[in-house]
């Protein structure tokens, strides 16, 4: 132990900067220092309200060829500037966003080589963003990065909410532990029985949520991940330091750079409460403004779909069990169907009717196109063409029918991670969407990447995901990509990137009890959602999976009101009602909340938020006086104490409260709920019990003059 402490002290002493430049955030809360240490290594540190958050930490790179950019630097020059703008997102958690920071550009120059490496620091009152910039220079015109050597030296063994680093999946359950436990817990404890590819056992993914023993909340992530590999953080317990590990390519070098170039931003969001982390807009603000000239075609979407039934195993994506389909040659009309195909014309018509009756914008149909017989796991490059429907799916007829009812179909492109194949067919696939009037696509990257050996979050794959979004914009198509790299706020620049999955979503409930841990949705807003909205696909009303598919004996563990609240707590401009029609028909009064809830917001208030424990969020619908509240609980029952003081003074509202019934239980009685209507004003207060993995959802609308409110309780 003594040895460790001495090593730590010696380590700290060598990293202390010999010359330091300082930038303070506009309100003075965040202070960032940058300089070089005794070896000429660039270093930075950060304080929040005087408290150390990041101790002096090293910056730099190991290159593919040539001397590393790790030491021998001096500060050549420093530039400072202040910036303050308020911008209007096309859609979002609030109508307007303030982007206010002080900036310091530190230009480092390496003695001898004269190579320049600049680091731009932006100090916000709620955190820090910094990135490396390589100006155009002869000695570093194009180069490869073997590893980025960015460090985050922390001040203690904080509590962390984390998932293991993995170059190919983000679909893990979270673990809450001390930092020192990362790497020492069993695979079962951290739910790492999914293929964990080759990263160090002590490495984690970002966004990573931390809490210090004295109550500081810290979030580490990245912003504007463009043309660069996705970052992971490897914990070095001896020095209490996270060290960056980039996602590799097939060669030893992880990134190819052509100056002038910059890296993505590295972010450290800080606050005194969980709510401060959720209210931060640093990730969006560090992205470039909207790159699209015209955005009126981008609209938030509420949708249903032929989906959950395949996930639970009631029906199948494929049409036949024919072992090998050859695109353009196999004659489907000659194949014997297995009779369990979900996306049939007749069935999709039922969904269109249901969407029209209940005010949904779109119907997602998965399994409409040929190729599913050979999708992931077959290493098949020419797996889908994205334009040929199965013989029992009437592409034109169904689109015409949907449009006649004021509904659109949502396109589905499962690429099966055959990225080259997807790019080859992309233009034709988007043209087909334009021809039939689809304006949104859910894409997917299930399975191992083809070309073989590539990783989902490498520079090459990251470039593909953005290419798909940019090409889609040319066709006025919105993209919701599943299994793509975790978002980093790029939806500010490309607001047609309307959704991403990039985490463990509702689909894992098909595994029953162990699919999703009870506290999962109380963690996601602090981790996955820091980068942008998630297509979590909530709204499952039937937890006994045998009622969807008699052969599935699993039981998902949450209450109906938990599912309702997720429409507010899991921010997304794209929200699905994921269950099958029959189950919504059984609970029409609870379903009403899903029909009513908004998907675009004027304002969002994070009333209480503790990672893994609970969340209560109130949001005002954009351009309306309606409000919606969602409250969820993680691992224990709790009483929510809600003040309606966010409502406009002097006005009366009707609040419809959907809450777990007294005897509700996420395992034994998950469908027990109460619906109570109250008259409320901004002085009203509500005390409501919710259960473990349970919740409460409230819709609030202004009272209409002369409205009959007989029998309604005043709160
Ligand atoms: C995984 C996606 O997350 C899921 O939503 C989809 O149904 C399947 N892939 C098939 O594309
Ligand atoms: Ca998925």
């Amino acid at each position: 132990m003594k040895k460790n402490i001495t090593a730590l002290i010696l380590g700290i002493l060598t990293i202390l900067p010999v010359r330091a430049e300082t930038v303070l955030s506009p309100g003075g809360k965040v202070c960032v220092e940058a300089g070089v240490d005794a070896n000429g290594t660039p270093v930075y540190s950060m304080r929040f309200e005087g408290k150390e958050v990041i101790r002096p930490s090293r910056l730099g790179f190991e290159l593919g060829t040539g001397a590393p950019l790790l030491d021998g630097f001096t500060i050549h020059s420093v530039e400072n500037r202040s910036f303050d703008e308020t911008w209007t997102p096309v859609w979002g958690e609030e109508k307007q966003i303030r982007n206010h920071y002080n900036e310091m550009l530190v230009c480092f120059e390496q003695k001898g080589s004269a190579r320049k490496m600049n680091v731009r620091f932006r100090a916000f009152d709620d955190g820090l963003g910094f990135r490396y910039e390589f100006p155009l220079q002869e000695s570093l015109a194009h180069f490869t990065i073997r590893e980025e050597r960015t460090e985050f030296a922390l001040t203690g063994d904080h509590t962390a909410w984390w998932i293991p680093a993995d170059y190919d999946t983000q679909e893990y359950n979270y673990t809450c532990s001390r930092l020192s436990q990362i790497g020492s817990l069993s695979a079962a404890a951290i739910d790492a029985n999914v293929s964990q590819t080759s990263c160090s056992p002590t490495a984690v993914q970002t966004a990573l949520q931390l809490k210090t023993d004295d109550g500081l909340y810290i979030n580490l992530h990245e912003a504007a991940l463009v043309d660069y590999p996705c970052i992971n953080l490897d914990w070095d317990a001896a020095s209490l330091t996270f060290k960056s590990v980039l996602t590799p390519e097939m060669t030893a070098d992880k990134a190819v750079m052509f100056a002038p170039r910059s890296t993505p931003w590295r972010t450290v969001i800080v606050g005194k409460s969980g709510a401060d982390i959720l209210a931060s807009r640093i990730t969006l603000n560090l992205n470039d403004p909207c790159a699209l000239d015209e955005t009126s075609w981008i609209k938030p979407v509420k949708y249903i779909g032929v989906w959950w039934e395949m996930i639970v195993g009631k029906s199948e994506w494929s049409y036949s069990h024919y072992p090998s389909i050859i695109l353009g040659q196999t004659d489907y009309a000659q194949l014997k169907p297995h009779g369990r195909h979900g996306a049939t014309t007749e069935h999709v018509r039922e969904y269109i009717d249901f969407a029209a009756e209940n005010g949904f914008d779109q119907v997602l149909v998965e399994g409409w196109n040929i190729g599913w017989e050979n999708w992931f796991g077959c290493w098949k490059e020419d797996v889908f063409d994205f334009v040929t429907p199965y013989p029992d799916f009437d592409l034109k007829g169904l689109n015409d029918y949907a449009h006649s009812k004021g509904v659109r179909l949502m396109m589905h492109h499962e690429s099966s991670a055959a990225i080259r194949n997807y790019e080859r067919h992309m233009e034709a696939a988007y043209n087909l969407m334009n021809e039939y009037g689809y304006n949104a696509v859910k894409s997917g990257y299930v399975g191992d990447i083809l070309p073989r050996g590539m990783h989902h979050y490498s520079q090459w794959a990251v470039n593909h995901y953005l290419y798909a979004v940019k090409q889609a914009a040319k066709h006025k198509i919105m993209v919701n990509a599943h299994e793509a790299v975790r978002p980093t706020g790029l939806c500010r620049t490309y607001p047609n990137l309307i959704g991403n999955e990039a985490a463990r979503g509702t689909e894992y409930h098909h595994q029953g009890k162990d699919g999703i841990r009870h506290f999962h949705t109380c963690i996601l807003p602090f981790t996955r959602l820091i980068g942008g909205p998630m297509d979590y696909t909530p709204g499952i009303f039937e937890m006994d999976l045998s009622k969807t598919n008699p052969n599935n004996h699993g039981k998902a563990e949450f209450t109906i009101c938990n599912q309702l609240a997720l429409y507010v707590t899991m921010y997304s401009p794209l929200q699905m009602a994921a269950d099958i029609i029959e189950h919504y028909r059984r609970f029409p009064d609870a379903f009403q909340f899903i029909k009513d809830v908004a998907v675009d917001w004027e304002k969002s208030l994070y009333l209480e938020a503790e990672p893994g424990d609970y969340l209560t969020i109130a949001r005002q619908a954009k351009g309306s006086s309606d409000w919606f509240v969602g409250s969820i609980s993680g691992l224990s029952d709790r009483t929510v104490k809600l003040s309606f003081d966010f409502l406009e003074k002097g006005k009366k509202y009707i609040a419809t409260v959907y809450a777990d019934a007294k005897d509700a239980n996420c395992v034994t009685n998950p469908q027990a709920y109460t619906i109570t209507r109250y008259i409320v004003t901004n002085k009203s207060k509500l005390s409501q019990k919710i259960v473990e993995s349970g919740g409460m959802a409230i819709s609030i609308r202004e009272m209409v003059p002369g409205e009959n409110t007989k029998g309604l309780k005043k709160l």
Side-chain angles (χ1 to χ4, degrees), residues 19-40:
R19 174 184 164 190
E21 303 288 336
T22 302
V23 60
L24 266 188
S25 65
K29 291 188 174 191
V30 166
C31 175
V32 181
E33 257 189 34
V36 287
D37 70 9
N39 300 320

Side-chain angles (χ1 to χ4, degrees), residues 48-189:
F48 176 75
E49 295 191 342
K51 268 189 198 166
E52 196 165 42
V53 176
I54 305 287
R55 294 182 290 111
S57 301
R58 286 180 272 242
L59 299 166
F61 295 88
E62 210 180 300
L63 302 182
T65 48
L69 297 169
L70 292 173
D71 51 21
F73 283 94
T74 54
I75 295 179
H76 174 267
S77 57
V78 176
E79 290 167 29
N80 289 288
R81 87 176 170 131
S82 297
F83 188 80
D84 190 4
E85 68 167 354
T86 299
W87 58 280
T88 306
V90 176
W91 42 261
E93 291 186 78
E94 56 200 354
K95 199 174 150 196
Q96 295 210 300
I97 294 178
R98 189 165 181 201
N99 183 13
H100 192 193
Y101 58 81
N102 289 334
E103 182 177 277
M104 174 169 78
L105 178 69
V106 185
C107 304
F108 296 100
E109 192 173 301
Q110 203 173 30
K111 283 177 258 167
S113 77
R115 293 181 301 176
K116 294 185 174 64
M117 179 178 79
N118 302 340
V119 184
R120 191 178 294 274
F121 296 91
R122 287 190 181 162
F124 301 82
D125 278 324
D126 54 355
L128 158 71
F130 64 91
R131 72 175 183 193
Y132 301 88
E133 297 182 355
F134 298 97
L136 190 57
Q137 53 192 305
E138 253 176 51
S139 47
L140 210 57
H142 54 87
F143 57 100
T144 55
I145 292 177
R146 185 140 301 174
E147 192 56 277
E148 179 177 324
R149 297 275 179 223
T150 300
E151 294 183 350
F152 300 87
L154 302 179
T155 57
D157 187 13
H158 307 328
T159 302
W161 288 266
W162 57 277
I163 54 176
D166 191 312
Y167 303 139
D168 287 290
T169 183
Q170 301 142 144
E171 298 183 0
Y172 285 105
N173 267 311
Y174 281 86
T175 298
C176 172
S177 77
R178 289 285 174 172
L179 285 168
S180 55
Q181 290 174 284
I182 297 175
S184 65
L185 296 168
S186 71

Side-chain angles (χ1 to χ4, degrees), residues 171 446 482-483 501-505 507-508:
E171 298 183 0
V446 171
H482 280 221
E483 295 90 28
E501 183 196 47
R504 179 168 282 228
E507 62 186 0
Y508 280 85

Side-chain angles (χ1 to χ4, degrees), residues 364-666:
L364 165 74
V365 188
E366 296 200 0
W368 69 276
N369 58 320
I370 63 169
W372 287 89
E373 285 77 3
N374 304 139
W375 72 307
F376 81 103
C378 302
W379 288 117
K380 188 175 184 187
E381 177 110 24
D382 301 323
V383 52
F384 292 110
D385 69 6
F386 312 97
V387 293
T388 311
Y390 278 130
D392 56 352
F393 181 86
D394 177 1
L395 178 63
K396 178 169 183 334
L398 282 168
N399 276 288
D400 289 348
Y401 184 64
H403 298 159
S404 76
K405 298 211 143 197
V407 171
R408 284 181 199 258
L409 295 188
M410 185 183 288
M411 177 48 78
H412 185 232
H413 291 165
E414 173 53 67
S415 71
S416 222
I419 287 184
R420 199 167 64 138
N421 180 62
Y422 188 26
E423 288 193 1
R424 282 178 182 156
H425 290 279
M426 193 171 276
E427 183 61 14
Y430 288 158
N431 279 334
L432 181 103
M433 289 179 64
N434 287 155
E435 184 184 340
Y436 288 103
Y438 291 84
N439 70 350
V441 59
K442 170 178 170 180
S443 56
Y445 299 89
V446 171
D448 296 323
I449 296 266
L450 276 115
R452 276 172 278 174
M454 296 296 269
H455 292 298
H456 275 74
Y457 318 129
S458 66
Q459 183 181 27
W460 181 84
V462 162
N463 285 345
H464 161 77
Y465 306 127
L466 188 55
Y467 172 77
V469 172
K470 285 184 182 177
Q471 291 302 110
K474 292 184 189 156
H475 291 263
K476 298 199 163 98
I477 287 170
M478 300 183 276
V479 176
N480 165 28
H482 280 221
E483 295 90 28
V485 70
R486 41 203 173 269
T488 54
L490 278 172
C491 57
R492 177 180 180 191
T493 315
Y494 304 99
N496 66 315
L497 177 55
I498 197 152
N500 270 113
E501 183 196 47
R504 179 168 282 228
T506 296
E507 62 186 0
Y508 280 85
H509 280 301
H510 87 272
Q511 297 177 355
K513 185 176 168 331
D514 300 322
I516 294 192
R517 292 179 176 170
H518 291 186
F519 63 5
H520 191 63
T521 48
C522 288
I523 299 174
L524 285 173
F526 296 95
T527 51
R528 164 61 186 77
L529 270 70
I530 294 295
M534 174 172 179
D535 185 31
Y536 186 73
T537 69
I540 303 302
F541 279 10
E542 182 50 76
M543 301 77 186
D544 177 352
L545 303 176
S546 70
K547 301 240 168 77
T548 305
N549 168 20
N551 296 322
N552 186 328
H553 301 294
K555 286 202 169 59
E557 297 185 350
F558 47 76
T559 65
I560 283 188
C561 287
N562 170 272
Q563 294 290 292
L564 297 183
L566 295 180
Y567 289 88
V568 183
T569 59
M570 291 288 292
Y571 165 66
S572 177
L574 180 89
Q575 288 283 15
M576 184 181 200
D579 212 335
I580 60 175
I581 293 175
E582 293 88 310
H583 297 157
Y584 289 134
R585 290 224 162 97
R586 282 171 46 215
F587 302 98
D589 52 356
F591 187 50
Q592 188 62 43
F593 181 81
I594 302 180
K595 288 160 65 172
D596 293 341
V597 69
V599 281
D600 201 13
W601 306 102
E602 187 81 20
K603 208 189 265 177
S604 293
L605 304 173
Y606 309 92
L607 303 177
E608 47 173 11
E610 191 59 31
D613 277 352
Y614 54 82
L615 281 173
T616 304
I617 298 177
R619 303 191 197 264
Q620 182 184 7
K622 196 180 263 182
S624 155
S625 56
D626 293 353
W627 282 81
F628 295 87
V629 178
S631 184
I632 57 170
S633 167
L635 298 175
S636 50
D637 299 359
R638 68 187 299 265
T639 300
V640 185
K641 297 209 183 298
L642 178 70
S643 160
F644 289 79
D645 56 4
F646 51 82
L647 295 176
E648 206 178 305
K649 208 172 158 191
K651 288 198 169 160
K652 284 191 175 161
Y653 298 81
I654 307 284
T656 307
V657 179
Y658 305 74
D660 293 333
K662 282 202 177 85
D663 58 348
N665 180 289
C666 69

